[in-house]
Amino acid sequence: MDVYKVLVVEDSPTMRQLIVFALKRIRGLRIIEANDGVDGLKKLSSDTFDLILTDINMPIMDGLKLVSMVRNNPKYKEVPIVVITTEGAVEDRERALALGANEYITKPIQTTQILDAVKRLLSL
Amino acid sequence: MSRSSDDNNNISSRGEEFLQIFKKGADFTHELLKENERLRYRMLKLEESIALPDDDEADVSHEAMQLRLKIEELEKEKEEILGRVRKVEEENEDFANRYVEIEEENNMLANLYIASFQLHSTLDFKEVLQIILEIVINLIGAEEFGVLLLDEKTNKLEPVASEGVSTSALPSIPVGQGIIGEATESGENYFIDSMTGYQRDFEKPLVCIPLKIKEHVIGVVVIYKLLVQKDEFNSVDYELFTLLAGHAATAVFSSRLYSDSERKLSTIQGFIDLLTK
């Protein structure tokens, strides 16, 4: 069975746990956690990932900056990115998608929405 | 003399003619009888041939009857099978709906498990408050809300944490006063009747959830505004509020108790150090 590596970038430990716990229900995923955008970039440079899930509002480096940097990196140009955020305004969604995010999911967290997006993007 | 012989000849020839005609009549009659016999025979044959199809018809009608019965039986069977198919389809739909419900419930329980796990993962009071804020944002979808805890000396609810609004802007509320005070006194959750046209009022929140340990209320979570994408509460939210209130209450209570005992311990330690020096 193929193993897909997923990076979860989220500053809130509770939220991160919720996402990781949900993702563990999909077989064949290896989940790596990062506390913020900078931590996420560090992990991206030292490893290879098949999917990135990120929050927007984070200290040090926010999720949109991370999306933009990932898209400018040839190694991760094609890697799907899922943004999970409290920002529900249309302009926020458009901005994230314009920067290169593939999916934009708003909180409160709905596990099925996250699982569906991950399965679809990884063709599982 | 010759005239009488001519007459005799004439009479004999006419007699012969008559005999000839009589013979012909007899032949004709004979022929008629023969024809009659032949026709009667023919009629008999025809009657026989007509009588035979009667039996065939009986056979055919019997077969048709059997086929009709068979058709009726098959029709019944078809109806029964269609009925069963309909029942299976209904059951399938029920199962699909039930699956979605169970999936939702499963998700809610998983979320609640993580939430309670996080709440009880620390004895640091501030950290517990931070976890409560995260849970209310991420699981409930609130944008502006606060946590008020009961000061048993003054019997007032005092704001200790908030999101979207300043904690200092939240009022102290005496138990029994207004919506928040009454919810604290009764221990019952409060939900506004209609969210449309709601204007933020710190003493009249959208939602007020008492944090209870058994029947003892130690504080409340008050919500003033939901995230833009969340326009109403669903059934899962109500369950989540109730279950969360219990876990948050014990986490707050035990962390506060721990903080107090730590503080007392360091004070006593200070005294002991002072006395023993």
Side-chain angles (χ1 to χ4, degrees), chain A residues 110-121:
Chain A
Q110 278 170 4
T111 315
T112 41
Q113 239 182 320
I114 296 173
L115 295 180
D116 287 347
V118 170
K119 282 181 191 168
R120 192 169 53 249
L121 291 169

Side-chain angles (χ1 to χ4, degrees), chain B residues 35-237:
Chain B
E35 185 63 18
N36 181 276
E37 196 180 340
R38 197 182 64 81
L39 285 173
R40 281 178 70 184
Y41 178 73
R42 176 85 181 133
M43 213 171 90
L44 193 74
K45 282 279 173 194
L46 281 171
E47 271 176 8
E48 275 177 11
S49 68
I50 290 164
L52 269 175
D54 277 352
D55 288 346
D56 281 355
E57 200 175 293
D59 283 351
V60 167
S61 68
H62 178 70
E63 210 170 304
M65 180 76 88
Q66 273 184 328
L67 284 171
R68 207 172 296 135
L69 284 172
K70 188 81 183 162
I71 288 168
E72 274 171 24
E73 212 174 283
L74 287 170
E75 283 286 334
K76 248 188 221 173
E77 237 172 84
K78 190 183 102 182
E79 279 306 311
E80 213 177 285
I81 289 166
L82 283 175
R84 255 187 268 168
V85 167
R86 270 194 295 272
K87 212 173 166 185
V88 168
E89 274 172 1
E90 275 169 24
E91 267 175 28
N92 272 353
E93 210 180 308
D94 275 355
F95 280 131
N97 291 337
R98 189 82 190 109
Y99 176 80
V100 172
E101 270 174 37
I102 289 170
E103 189 71 4
E104 272 176 19
E105 215 150 290
N106 195 13
N107 290 338
M108 191 202 71
L109 287 172
N111 291 348
L112 194 77
Y113 166 75
I114 299 294
S116 59
F117 179 82
Q118 288 291 322
L119 280 168
H120 298 294
S121 65
T122 180
L123 281 170
D124 186 305
F125 179 62
K126 280 186 182 168
E127 228 176 292
V128 169
L129 288 178
Q130 186 55 39
I131 292 167
I132 293 173
L133 298 185
E134 283 180 12
I135 290 168
V136 178
I137 298 169
N138 294 311
L139 291 182
I140 307 289
E143 192 174 338
E144 291 178 0
F145 62 95
V147 179
L148 286 78
L149 293 182
L150 182 66
D151 183 338
E152 291 192 339
K153 284 177 195 159
T154 59
N155 207 30
K156 275 185 175 178
L157 290 159
E158 301 291 346
V160 289
S162 65
E163 182 69 36
V165 288
S166 164
T167 308
S168 57
L170 297 174
S172 296
I173 295 172
V175 173
Q177 188 184 298
I179 289 168
I180 301 170
E182 280 172 19
T184 310
E185 200 170 47
S186 67
E188 298 289 327
N189 294 348
Y190 165 81
F191 298 96
I192 200 166
D193 292 332
S194 169
M195 290 194 203
T196 45
Y198 171 79
Q199 292 287 315
R200 191 181 69 194
D201 180 339
F202 287 135
E203 294 192 7
K204 291 175 185 164
L206 287 172
V207 177
C208 178
I209 307 293
L211 303 177
K212 291 192 291 185
I213 299 172
K214 288 196 173 170
E215 294 310 307
H216 183 62
V217 177
I218 64 145
V220 291
V221 173
V222 281
I223 298 174
Y224 299 106
K225 190 182 174 189
L226 299 178
L227 292 169
V228 187
Q229 60 272 24
K230 174 123 182 165
D231 44 16
E232 58 176 8
F233 292 116
N234 52 43
S235 56
V236 172
D237 289 326

Side-chain angles (χ1 to χ4, degrees), chain B residues 5-29:
Chain B
S5 73
D6 282 349
D7 283 345
N8 283 340
N9 283 341
N10 198 16
I11 287 166
S12 76
S13 71
R14 286 186 75 178
E16 263 175 39
E17 256 175 55
F18 177 76
L19 273 173
Q20 285 296 321
I21 289 167
F22 183 79
K23 260 185 187 177
K24 275 184 185 173
D27 285 347
F28 183 68
T29 308

Side-chain angles (χ1 to χ4, degrees), chain B residues 230-269:
Chain B
K230 174 123 182 165
D231 44 16
E232 58 176 8
F233 292 116
N234 52 43
S235 56
V236 172
D237 289 326
Y238 296 112
E239 285 181 58
L240 202 62
F241 274 132
T242 312
L243 295 165
L244 210 59
H247 284 287
T250 48
V252 166
F253 186 78
S254 51
S255 65
R256 205 157 57 164
L257 215 60
Y258 183 76
S259 301
D260 287 350
S261 62
E262 279 281 286
R263 203 179 58 244
K264 278 176 192 166
L265 183 70
S266 65
T267 311
I268 292 164
Q269 191 65 51

